[in-house]
Amino acid sequence: MTNAIGLNNADAIDQRQRYVEAWNSTMLSIWREQITLLDVIDTGQLLQSPVSLPVRSDGRLFNLNITQQFLEYGLWQDYGTGRETPRGNSGDIGRPKIRERRQWFSRKYYSSVLNLRDFFADSIGLEFCGIFTEMFDDRLFKSMTEYYKRNKRPL
């Protein structure tokens, strides 16, 4: 069966799968680019650490979990915090603060998540609309009744 934009359900699911895979690889590329541009490189471990873990979904991609992983050190770089300020310190460390916030992770992540949300809203919304348009198709509705199946009457 096709939905409101002419895609069948398998195509819609395939389209969502491809979008998620492309989104994942784009996020990793953006993060690596930002790490390099902002010079958040000391040993190179953070640059190599972003990976996307396998996407878990319900098969139709109505419910899914997307997970990326990188070194925890990357968060502290993004926040501009680190070892120079011990826990419990009020912020006065007795010398000028050296660390600066280098937002390699958080700047584009939020807007990218919203783009993903919007794509899924459109994709699933169109599939939902397709269900209702099929419901009002009298030929399709009749063809699913036992009477027409049994008598093989032309519509």
Side-chain angles (χ1 to χ4, degrees):
M1 289 189 221
T2 59
N3 65 18
I5 59 169
L7 290 175
N8 66 32
N9 290 343
D11 288 341
I13 293 167
D14 185 51
Q15 186 182 44
R16 289 194 288 263
Q17 179 73 33
R18 285 190 318 238
Y19 192 90
V20 167
E21 290 169 359
W23 185 87
N24 251 339
S25 76
T26 301
M27 287 312 306
L28 296 179
S29 296
I30 288 171
W31 291 342
R32 288 186 182 117
E33 178 184 323
Q34 289 297 307
I35 288 169
T36 304
L37 286 174
L38 296 172
D39 196 28
V40 188
I41 301 173
D42 187 23
T43 64
Q45 288 182 331
L46 180 60
L47 182 62
Q48 300 305 319
S49 71
V51 294
S52 84
L53 301 176
V55 175
R56 291 185 313 219
S57 70
D58 64 356
R60 293 181 62 192
L61 289 143
F62 284 149
N63 180 19
L64 66 128
N65 292 332
I66 301 173
T67 309
Q68 296 92 13
Q69 179 177 313
F70 51 82
L71 291 176
E72 183 179 333
Y73 166 76
L75 287 176
W76 310 130
Q77 286 292 318
D78 196 74
Y79 297 147
T81 59
R83 289 187 222 152
E84 70 185 19
T85 308
R87 280 190 186 165
N89 188 298
S90 64
D92 178 17
I93 58 175
R95 64 180 185 282
K97 185 175 180 193
I98 299 168
R99 294 183 191 268
E100 292 180 24
R101 187 173 192 183
R102 295 183 281 183
Q103 292 182 292
W104 68 272
F105 165 70
S106 60
R107 268 189 329 151
K108 296 192 179 190
Y109 188 69
Y110 182 68
S111 64
S112 296
V113 167
L114 294 181
N115 288 339
L116 184 64
R117 179 202 65 187
D118 293 344
F119 169 79
F120 270 85
D122 289 343
S123 178
I124 293 170
L126 287 172
E127 191 170 340
F128 183 76
C129 289
I131 292 168
F132 276 95
T133 57
E134 290 169 359
M135 187 171 76
F136 295 116
D137 182 354
D138 64 330
R139 296 182 70 138
L140 180 62
F141 186 72
K142 286 179 184 177
S143 71
M144 291 188 294
T145 64
E146 288 303 317
Y147 177 79
Y148 281 91
K149 286 180 187 175
R150 187 173 46 245
N151 294 319
K152 304 229 187 235
R153 294 189 145 211
L155 298 174

